[in-house]
Amino acid sequence: MNKPKFNYNRSDACCHFCNRTENPHPDFDEPIVTAKIEANNQDIELCINCYCELETSAKVRNQPFSQLVTEKVNLLRILDKPKK
């Protein structure tokens, strides 16, 4: 997978994984930096922080980045299921 193109200053930016919408750095009053990637046949928007964490984790585990993202998307889907 190629490095995604990150977008700056999008007022509607929101990370699919951490749900962050604002830059966590106290010196910056701006939206988070995000990129869209494809996983499970859908576009996933993730922030640069989550991207770097996933990229590092993929390298440490010697696992393809796309596989790690797919696993995380599936895990979030399981955890978000309503309880019956």
Side-chain angles (χ1 to χ4, degrees):
M1 176 179 177
N2 296 336
K3 286 218 180 224
K5 181 180 177 190
F6 286 93
N7 298 309
Y8 293 77
N9 296 319
R10 283 190 42 238
S11 61
D12 63 340
C14 180
C15 181
H16 183 80
F17 294 134
C18 69
N19 293 323
R20 190 175 284 155
T21 58
E22 295 180 4
N23 192 322
H25 195 282
D27 292 340
F28 296 100
D29 183 25
E30 61 188 17
I32 59 170
V33 178
T34 61
K36 289 193 178 183
I37 61 170
E38 189 175 318
N40 287 5
N41 297 320
Q42 61 183 357
D43 284 335
I44 303 294
E45 183 175 18
L46 71 155
C47 69
I48 195 166
N49 294 342
C50 287
Y51 177 83
C52 290
E53 287 176 11
L54 289 168
E55 186 178 48
T56 301
S57 185
K59 287 179 184 176
V60 167
R61 294 179 182 185
N62 197 22
Q63 182 178 19
F65 180 82
S66 58
Q67 182 182 2
L68 189 61
V69 171
T70 299
E71 288 176 6
K72 189 161 184 167
V73 167
N74 290 336
L75 181 61
L76 286 174
R77 188 180 357 233
I78 290 169
L79 294 174
D80 284 343
K81 279 191 175 181
K83 295 178 180 162
K84 293 182 180 180

